[in-house]
Amino acid sequence: MNAMQVLIGIAVMLLIGAIAWGIALYRRTLWPQPAPRNRTSFHAARRFSGQQRTIAELDYALTLTPNDASLYNRRGAVYAMLNDTEQAMADFDRASLLNPADPTAYHNRGIVYRNLKNYQSALQDLSRALMLNPDYTSAYYQRGLTYYYLGEHQQAIDDLSQASALNPDDVLTYIARAAVLIELAAYQQAIDDLDQAITLDAHLAGMYGAYGSRGQAHAALHHYPQALHDFEQALILTPDDAGVLNRRGATYTDSGQPARAIQDYDRASALDPRDASIYNNRGEAYRLLGEHRQASDDYERALALEPGLAMAYYNRGLVHYAFAEYPQALSDYNRALELDPALTLVYRDRASVYQRLKRYREASDDYTRALEHTPDDATLSFKRDEAYLQIKNSRQASQNAYQSRQEEKQI
């Protein structure tokens, strides 16, 4: 493995920590979404016995040839690997001034800009590198990741596809594109990419998350046996991966095995006690087992870690409902919708609370909102009709009471 591959591998592992939350198939479980991994291949870096020694050697070389752009580029790459972004940027700036026709300095500086979350500057530099070298595979890859961070998923797919076309044997490009496809809910396409990555190099692909991502895609398609098999493979390679344990737990929950899910969540929470999604998911498994107090405790832990976690409010509302604590359930449902208006599954359950509180008009409104998203749900239609009848009966009861009072006054 050469120096560039080592750099690629290190940075690819870093980006998996950046997760986007997505609602799982089981409607109250959260999945850590696999992000495309960051292949920080600072081109023109060389491998020496150590990074500090490398800098010393490049410092000496620059005293002999102070206008050699490639030396600044190499030293900048080493500084970048040492997380000394100020020195790295200074060296990349100098390299691009000395040799503005060399795309590698723009490529490398673009990576640093992206790592600093200066995405527009990153796009400018990476696009400049591609203008200078239209076949620059890594620049397409890096720009694809930058588009992903900006939420421009189709552009990300386009660039990663171009990178793959230029180098069809690159395992990590398939893994990165699959992660974006999962974000777009294009699960079968993601599986196809991950199959290709695993076919090319099963061990390398596995070390960079291919089995875990493919397991998630299979679970999204309700292919639970395949998903569980992939998570097993992932855990053979990385047994202490809290994210994979969390995903396997979600798969057990989704497939009706909440007791087995709790075992995975226990391990995951011990490995990563700051991940709110693990507590939310374990709470859901406890709730399905009827262990509402344990569920409530886990939702509280999740909200202490992430106060804006809408799903945890929703799930805690379900526990309040189970205990007939209807005002508290309503408060949690309202908070969930305030935080995430797209969490439309709340409407069904909030409607049930409104019915319990005899607020039938609001109940019928929520059933109508729920039916907008699941128009073929016969149960929802029946419940809405029931709410309409309760409105009518309530109105008739009010009229009867008023008539009785009037008759009493006449007597």
Side-chain angles (χ1 to χ4, degrees):
M1 184 176 289
N2 62 32
M4 186 185 303
Q5 290 171 316
V6 172
L7 289 168
I8 289 170
I10 292 170
V12 164
M13 292 303 293
L14 292 176
L15 191 57
I16 199 65
I19 56 177
W21 296 112
I23 298 172
L25 318 171
Y26 191 84
R27 62 192 190 119
R28 303 177 184 102
T29 306
L30 288 168
W31 285 74
Q33 193 80 359
R37 297 181 170 198
N38 187 4
R39 178 216 306 260
T40 308
S41 52
F42 291 103
H43 289 180
R46 294 178 60 193
R47 189 176 186 179
F48 293 83
S49 59
Q51 291 168 333
Q52 293 296 341
R53 178 184 168 189
T54 303
I55 289 175
E57 291 178 354
L58 290 168
D59 286 346
Y60 177 72
L62 282 166
T63 64
L64 301 176
T65 53
N67 293 322
D68 188 334
S70 67
L71 295 177
Y72 284 105
N73 203 9
R74 291 177 186 174
R75 191 174 68 177
V78 180
Y79 278 128
M81 287 187 288
L82 292 170
N83 293 319
D84 188 342
T85 56
E86 184 176 352
Q87 289 292 335
M89 293 295 276
D91 275 352
F92 294 144
D93 288 347
R94 182 65 175 158
S96 63
L97 286 171
L98 288 168
N99 187 2
D102 181 5
T104 59
Y106 299 105
H107 169 278
N108 292 348
R109 190 172 64 184
I111 295 172
V112 176
Y113 274 132
R114 191 190 59 239
N115 292 345
L116 293 172
K117 302 187 188 312
N118 187 343
Y119 300 124
Q120 293 302 326
S121 294
L123 286 178
Q124 290 175 12
D125 269 353
L126 292 165
S127 296
R128 175 67 175 166
L130 286 165
M131 287 177 61
L132 293 168
N133 180 4
D135 294 329
Y136 200 162
T137 305
S138 183
Y140 281 112
Y141 183 101
Q142 299 295 348
R143 194 173 68 175
L145 296 188
T146 307
Y147 279 130
Y148 171 84
Y149 279 119
L150 288 169
E152 298 177 11
H153 294 125
Q154 189 54 56
Q155 290 94 322
I157 292 291
D158 291 345
D159 272 355
L160 291 169
S161 297
Q162 184 63 31
S164 181
L166 289 167
N167 184 5
D169 294 329
D170 183 42
V171 170
L172 301 183
T173 300
Y174 291 109
I175 296 173
R177 188 170 63 183
V180 184
L181 289 166
I182 289 174
E183 186 81 13
L184 293 171
Y187 300 117
Q188 187 56 57
Q189 290 174 264
I191 290 169
D192 293 342
D193 268 356
L194 294 163
D195 286 347
Q196 182 65 20
I198 291 167
T199 299
L200 286 167
D201 190 329
H203 183 75
L204 178 64
M207 291 304 297
Y208 292 112
Y211 288 110
S213 294
R214 192 173 69 177
Q216 182 156 341
H218 276 305
L221 294 173
H222 301 250
H223 302 159
Y224 298 126
Q226 297 95 317
L228 290 170
H229 178 267
D230 274 343
F231 291 136
E232 290 290 341
Q233 292 298 117
L235 289 168
I236 289 170
L237 294 167
T238 55
D240 293 331
D241 190 326
V244 173
L245 287 165
N246 194 5
R247 292 183 210 168
R248 189 174 69 174
T251 303
Y252 279 132
T253 302
D254 291 355
S255 60
Q257 304 177 70
R260 297 192 68 176
I262 288 172
Q263 298 174 24
D264 275 349
Y265 295 140
D266 286 346
R267 284 182 60 196
S269 63
L271 290 165
D272 189 359
R274 303 295 299 171
D275 186 340
S277 76
I278 296 171
Y279 298 107
N280 174 83
N281 293 351
R282 189 172 65 181
E284 176 59 9
Y286 276 129
R287 193 188 67 81
L288 290 172
L289 290 168
E291 299 178 15
H292 293 105
R293 289 299 177 197
Q294 293 94 321
S296 182
D297 289 345
D298 269 347
Y299 297 141
E300 294 290 346
R301 291 188 186 98
L303 289 169
L305 289 167
E306 192 173 336
L309 191 57
M311 187 67 76
Y313 280 105
Y314 170 50
N315 287 337
R316 191 175 67 176
L318 295 171
V319 173
H320 284 309
Y321 186 87
F323 287 128
E325 298 167 351
Y326 303 126
Q328 295 93 322
L330 180 59
S331 176
D332 275 350
Y333 293 153
N334 288 339
R335 183 61 176 149
L337 284 169
E338 287 172 9
L339 291 166
D340 185 2
L343 197 61
T344 56
L345 55 91
V346 177
Y347 291 124
R348 173 197 296 262
D349 295 289
R350 191 173 69 174
S352 296
V353 171
Y354 280 135
Q355 279 189 296
R356 293 288 185 174
L357 295 172
K358 299 183 179 180
R359 294 165 61 173
Y360 303 124
R361 173 59 63 188
E362 289 151 299
S364 67
D365 289 344
D366 266 0
Y367 284 130
T368 297
R369 293 187 184 99
L371 281 164
E372 289 172 0
H373 300 281
T374 54
D376 298 327
D377 191 321
T379 301
L380 279 177
S381 295
F382 175 80
K383 297 292 286 184
R384 184 175 64 175
D385 290 344
E386 184 181 61
Y388 285 147
L389 182 60
Q390 287 167 326
I391 293 169
K392 182 179 179 180
N393 290 342
S394 177
R395 188 178 300 141
Q396 185 62 52
S398 296
Q399 290 174 354
N400 291 343
Y402 175 77
Q403 198 167 23
S404 296
R405 287 194 298 270
Q406 293 301 312
E407 290 173 355
E408 289 173 1
K409 287 179 182 180
Q410 290 175 2
I411 294 172

